[in-house]
Amino acid sequence: MQQWLRKVRVALTPRNWLLKTRLSNGAFVYGRNRPGYGGRGIYIYRDALEPELEHLEKFLVPGGTFLDVGANTGIFTLKAAKYLSANGGTVIALEPFPDMLATLYHNVRANGLTNVRLRGFCAGERTQATMLWMNFHRPASFSIAKRDEEAASFSTLVVTVDELVDWEGLSRLDYFKIDVEGVEAEVLAGARNTITRFRPIIQVEVNINNVPVELPQYSVFQAGPTSPNRIFIPNESAIIDNAKALGWTKVA
């Protein structure tokens, strides 16, 4: 019933307004009431929008570092930052589209978070200038991979995660989330040294490309047959028991 009422609210709210959502841990998310602008889904479904978001805190560690590549309005960034703010942890959020970065900045400020570093560029296989394609006029689909023949584009910067880690002076990386609309393999290729060095939990979106990832001594879980993500957890991590306890399917 609550979801139905929220859908009615979305239908009645002007398209240029921001929808405000409160997550289970108290973090607030604002997102524009337009398709692909990161406001509607989270408003209607709350944390249950994605099982990985709903149970995110079970996979975080106190004092950890969370890297959000493809942050959009920041639902994962904000939930992680709220948890990590109490114990000295850090979130680095990459969002290349200026309008969404502005919304993300607004969300970070609205929550009073001081442990989030916002970066307005992409991640990829090599550091270079390239084009960001505005696929289907929906920021949630924007990518350095062109998937829409009608898409306009603008110049953006791509950085490898390996270089980003050096730039940020990171001494650890505990959770690495990737949602980049078809270039997940390239992001992982640019993070080889980081993954070997820190062995983070890795969340990869697979609803566009089923990325063939080979990570030594990692187990791969999927929260359900309709989940858009796969979660790679180091075999030596005790957190692997949390995925099993949730009943997530081990797929590799």
Side-chain angles (χ1 to χ4, degrees):
M1 183 64 173
Q2 287 295 319
Q3 288 184 6
W4 182 83
L5 290 173
R6 291 171 194 152
K7 289 179 181 179
V8 171
R9 170 69 184 278
V10 166
L12 296 176
T13 299
R15 296 298 175 260
N16 61 336
W17 284 22
L18 292 176
L19 297 168
K20 179 182 179 181
T21 303
R22 182 170 181 167
L23 301 180
S24 61
N25 67 353
F28 289 103
V29 181
Y30 293 85
R32 198 165 301 283
N33 184 26
R34 294 176 60 187
Y37 276 74
R40 289 180 170 181
I42 194 66
Y43 180 81
I44 294 169
Y45 298 105
R46 302 308 206 250
D47 300 70
L49 178 66
E50 295 183 23
E52 298 81 12
L53 176 67
E54 184 175 15
H55 301 289
L56 181 62
E57 291 169 330
K58 294 182 173 68
F59 297 87
L60 302 178
V61 295
T65 299
F66 185 99
L67 175 59
D68 190 351
V69 177
N72 199 264
T73 56
I75 59 175
F76 280 91
T77 283
L78 298 168
K79 189 164 187 178
K82 184 78 169 181
Y83 171 87
L84 294 171
S85 66
N87 48 61
T90 300
V91 176
I92 300 172
L94 274 60
E95 174 50 54
F97 182 48
D99 286 1
M100 298 308 296
L101 183 62
T103 300
L104 179 54
Y105 172 75
H106 172 81
N107 286 338
V108 170
R109 288 292 302 272
N111 284 279
L113 296 167
T114 60
N115 61 332
V116 180
R117 306 178 191 176
L118 301 181
R119 305 294 183 241
F121 44 72
C122 303
E125 188 170 3
R126 59 185 60 86
T127 297
Q128 61 182 348
T130 191
M131 305 307 292
L132 185 74
W133 296 96
M134 295 183 282
N135 298 314
F136 313 113
H137 307 290
R138 299 164 61 102
S141 299
F142 291 2
S143 173
I144 59 174
K146 187 176 183 180
R147 299 172 46 229
D148 171 14
E149 291 303 317
E150 304 294 323
S153 64
F154 63 89
S155 180
T156 190
L157 176 67
V158 177
V159 64
T160 67
V161 168
D162 287 340
E163 288 195 77
L164 177 66
V165 165
D166 289 340
W167 294 356
E168 301 288 352
L170 300 184
S171 59
R172 63 188 296 174
L173 179 60
D174 302 273
Y175 199 112
F176 178 15
K177 174 237 168 190
I178 309 169
D179 183 352
V180 288
E181 299 301 306
V183 290
E184 291 76 16
E186 289 87 339
V187 173
L188 287 164
R192 292 187 187 96
N193 295 337
T194 297
I195 293 169
T196 299
R197 179 183 175 192
F198 296 126
R199 293 184 61 75
I201 294 171
I202 305 171
Q203 176 183 323
V204 182
E205 185 186 47
V206 295
N207 65 341
I208 295 176
N209 289 335
N210 189 0
V211 184
V213 181
E214 293 186 9
L215 298 174
Q217 297 301 306
Y218 269 78
S219 293
V220 188
F221 291 87
Q222 193 158 11
T226 61
S227 172
N229 305 301
R230 287 192 176 176
I231 306 295
F232 298 76
I233 305 176
N235 289 344
E236 71 273 14
S237 173
I239 290 177
I240 203 168
D241 293 332
N242 295 345
K244 294 176 181 178
L246 289 168
W248 292 4
T249 302
K250 186 177 179 181
V251 295

